[in-house]
Amino acid sequence: MPSLTLVCPGLSQMSWRPQYRSSKFRNVYGKVANREHCFDGIPITKNVHDNHFCAVNARFLAIVTESAGGGSFLVIPLEQTGRIEPNYPKVCGHQGNVLDIKWNPFIDNIIASCSEDTSVRIWEIPEGGLKRNMTEALLELHGHSRRVGLVEWHPTTNNILLSAGYDYKVLIWNLDVGEPVKMIDCHTDVILCMSFNTDGSLLTTTCKDKKLRVIEPRSGRVLQEANCKNHRVNRVVFLGNMKRLLTTGVSRWNTRQIALWDQEDLSMPLIEEEIDGLSGLLFPFYDADTHMLYLAGKGDGNIRYYEISTEKPYLSYLMEFRSPAPQKGLGVMPKHGLDVSACEVFRFYKLVTLKGLIEPISMIVPRRSDSYQEDIYPMTPGTEPALTPDEWLGGINRDPVLMSLKEGYKKSSKMVFKAPIKEKKSVVVNGIDLLENVPPRTENELLRMFFRQQDEIRRLKEELAQKDIRIRQLQLELKNLRNSPKNC
């Protein structure tokens, strides 16, 4: 019997098979660590601030925790997996909630933290981790007048740190002298995100004023600016040396969206792509070595990943890692901390608040060979800085010092942080003395100061009113003296 074929008009040229492009990362999959290799029993902070509350390097995992009477975070050696004791020692020197933590990229045991108490602090973690609570910071940095929401280390220069506060300012700190050396004052609302390009010569920021900016950090000059009213930007990341930016945000219909931009022309995005209709913030993570982009939503259990290219369509969807447990934030392991023998190209540390659990998730390229896979591990930025603070502040740019992951990638940096000896004095940046009036460090302190000032204003007004009455009395007495018969 002859076969019957139906041909619909207008559909003869259409193929219903999805178009896959050839890619070595087509089959990358996420592998969750066994329960004994997770970190359990951690009182993860319930703070609703949109940060990861987690930082990781090749030696330590740091997590912001719930604590009474100030802010604190845990620092746990990576090999110390399993259940963490409730009385495990903490870093607890801040007077307000800790909002962000970041490890120094060049010195494994140095971590920066910022807090609602308006300060930024630098901590030195002892070998083998904490044995008792740490309350004394190596360096306390005061310069913001309101709480500090973000800290970011410079990618190629040692001892340069940026902090962004709710006073709408970004301060650049030279930790060799322990003082702010530049202030970027171009934002009109709270700064949501900061990202450096590869050599640290450009900084991009997103802000609550719905603007995306590309800034020359040493001068504070805004080179490019996009007014994102249709795509309300939340997070931004530089895409390596592609001269591209990727932002995550919300469309005018309140759907989650990503947009790709040319860093030299922010007039229009190159592409915009809607992701889904969920409400959680989308965190972007970019791996410049594999050109892979990972998207993880706050409160989601999944992580989507894409491959980015310089030619259209620019963004190619690869796959999705799925998990039933929602994530509050994610820490990312630096490249030199990955397991190259397992073909691991990325590793997340997922914060599962409901279970008090930190779960490592390895992104693995499936390969049969046990030998070193050079095509997925190119030379990558290492643990040696390319510049000193004075060189960078003097206008020099230099690419990161690269390292191979094939041999000796477990070597730790020999650099040591030396805290400067600081004297109490004025801190003048851009002609403004940041310490002329030391700001309150907590919300309660701010309220107490407000009510004290209100009382002082009331007292001064009463005093002024009394003096006005006294002046009028004296004026009348003077007038009477002049008009008296004795003076005629």
Side-chain angles (χ1 to χ4, degrees):
M1 186 176 175
S3 62
L4 184 66
T5 305
L6 292 174
V7 179
C8 297
L11 294 182
S12 56
Q13 300 298 316
M14 186 176 287
S15 169
W16 292 104
R17 284 177 298 183
Q19 297 297 309
Y20 290 123
R21 57 193 288 277
S22 174
S23 169
K24 66 184 83 165
F25 304 110
R26 173 76 250 162
N27 297 310
V28 167
Y29 66 95
K31 182 182 178 183
V32 181
N34 297 331
R35 189 68 185 234
E36 61 266 24
H37 293 120
C38 297
F39 300 84
D40 201 357
I42 293 169
I44 300 166
T45 179
K46 294 182 175 65
N47 196 311
V48 294
H49 190 69
D50 284 329
N51 264 346
H52 293 294
F53 301 111
C54 177
V56 65
N57 65 17
R59 287 173 62 194
F60 297 108
L61 170 69
I63 313 106
V64 179
T65 60
E66 275 294 295
S67 63
S72 65
F73 59 95
L74 286 172
V75 176
I76 306 165
L78 281 186
E79 63 274 8
Q80 196 175 324
T81 54
R83 189 154 193 86
I84 304 300
E85 293 300 317
N87 58 350
Y88 193 88
K90 296 180 175 71
V91 179
C92 51
H94 282 288
Q95 277 86 46
N97 289 327
V98 175
L99 299 181
D100 197 13
I101 47 175
K102 294 279 168 62
W103 288 104
N104 185 318
F106 309 116
I107 310 174
D108 278 345
N109 65 333
I110 297 294
I111 189 168
S113 63
C114 63
S115 164
E116 288 181 352
D117 67 9
T118 75
S119 74
V120 177
R121 300 187 189 209
I122 311 297
W123 309 87
E124 183 176 27
I125 307 303
E127 291 292 322
L130 299 176
K131 298 293 183 280
R132 62 183 67 85
N133 283 354
M134 180 179 278
T135 56
E136 290 297 317
L138 205 59
L139 203 54
E140 284 188 32
L141 307 171
H142 295 282
H144 287 283
S145 59
R146 296 186 67 190
R147 59 182 168 167
V148 189
L150 297 169
V151 284
E152 199 71 50
W153 293 93
H154 194 276
T156 62
T157 309
N158 189 37
N159 285 351
I160 290 286
L161 180 74
L162 272 69
S163 61
Y166 277 58
D167 51 7
Y168 313 157
K169 293 174 176 57
V170 177
L171 293 182
I172 302 178
W173 303 87
N174 179 357
L175 302 187
D176 280 357
V177 294
E179 290 179 3
V181 286
K182 301 282 178 184
M183 180 168 67
I184 300 170
D185 193 12
C186 59
H187 301 89
T188 59
D189 210 325
V190 175
I191 299 142
L192 301 173
C193 182
M194 300 188 289
S195 175
F196 274 110
N197 66 344
T198 307
D199 66 0
S201 60
L202 295 175
L203 179 75
T204 180
T205 62
T206 57
C207 182
K208 266 194 176 175
D209 63 12
K210 300 177 185 174
K211 288 185 179 178
L212 170 68
R213 295 173 174 88
V214 175
I215 301 163
E216 203 294 309
R218 285 164 291 207
S219 65
R221 191 161 56 93
V222 178
L223 304 178
Q224 289 286 329
E225 188 174 276
N227 208 339
C228 308
K229 287 185 177 173
N230 296 335
H231 166 77
R232 296 197 305 276
V233 288
N234 286 320
R235 290 291 180 273
V236 62
V237 64
F238 263 107
L239 301 181
N241 289 322
M242 286 187 181
K243 295 197 171 181
R244 298 275 192 273
L245 304 171
L246 185 122
T247 57
T248 65
V250 183
S251 73
R252 64 171 76 178
W253 297 282
N254 282 336
T255 56
R256 296 197 294 192
Q257 206 178 36
I258 58 174
L260 189 70
W261 307 77
D262 181 342
Q263 74 179 41
E264 293 174 353
D265 180 11
L266 298 185
S267 55
M268 284 285 289
L270 298 170
I271 56 165
E272 280 182 350
E273 188 167 313
E274 293 200 1
I275 302 299
D276 56 35
L278 299 178
S279 59
L281 181 76
L282 269 180
F283 293 114
F285 303 90
Y286 180 65
D287 180 1
D289 295 345
T290 60
H291 305 300
M292 283 177 69
L293 170 77
Y294 300 86
L295 292 179
K298 186 176 180 180
D300 300 1
N302 58 347
I303 300 171
R304 299 173 176 86
Y305 35 108
Y306 302 77
E307 195 168 10
I308 292 185
S309 62
T310 51
E311 297 169 0
K312 288 185 178 180
Y314 302 121
L315 201 66
S316 305
Y317 175 76
L318 292 174
M319 218 183 286
E320 184 176 4
F321 165 81
R322 295 191 178 186
S323 161
Q327 58 230 4
K328 184 180 180 68
L330 294 157
V332 173
M333 174 64 76
K335 272 291 168 117
H336 60 273
L338 298 179
D339 183 1
V340 296
S341 63
C343 295
E344 184 183 35
V345 289
F346 216 73
R347 191 191 304 162
F348 293 102
Y349 284 76
K350 173 177 169 176
L351 276 63
V352 186
T353 312
L354 296 174
K355 298 179 183 177
L357 187 70
I358 312 294
E359 205 174 52
I361 302 168
S362 297
M363 310 307 293
I364 292 169
V365 180
R367 295 276 171 99
R368 288 180 181 173
S369 172
D370 291 335
S371 61
Y372 180 71
Q373 308 291 311
E374 210 147 334
D375 61 325
I376 61 174
Y377 295 116
M379 296 286 281
T380 193
T383 56
E384 298 298 321
L387 293 165
T388 65
D390 290 342
E391 286 173 331
W392 183 74
L393 292 167
I396 298 172
N397 295 320
R398 206 170 284 156
D399 284 332
V401 177
L402 300 180
M403 68 189 292
S404 168
L405 299 186
K406 186 174 185 179
E407 293 171 3
Y409 71 95
K410 290 289 183 190
K411 287 179 185 172
S412 58
S413 172
K414 294 175 183 174
M415 297 196 66
V416 177
F417 183 83
K418 291 181 181 175
I421 298 166
K422 294 183 72 178
E423 297 175 5
K424 290 281 183 184
K425 57 177 182 178
S426 61
V427 176
V428 179
V429 181
N430 296 13
I432 301 167
D433 187 351
L434 298 176
L435 297 184
E436 186 178 10
N437 292 305
V438 178
R441 297 185 179 185
T442 61
E443 299 280 346
N444 287 338
E445 208 174 310
L446 184 67
L447 281 171
R448 283 199 299 273
M449 183 174 280
F450 171 74
F451 289 125
R452 277 202 305 270
Q453 286 176 343
Q454 291 296 305
D455 289 340
E456 181 70 8
I457 289 167
R458 200 175 297 112
R459 188 185 63 76
L460 289 170
K461 279 183 176 177
E462 287 171 2
E463 201 175 303
L464 197 61
Q466 292 294 328
K467 285 184 178 175
D468 278 343
I469 293 166
R470 182 64 182 145
I471 287 166
R472 285 197 206 100
Q473 286 174 344
L474 289 169
Q475 283 173 336
L476 281 170
E477 285 178 21
L478 189 63
K479 194 174 183 181
N480 289 339
L481 279 169
R482 283 177 181 163
N483 295 335
S484 66
K486 291 178 184 177
N487 294 330
C488 292

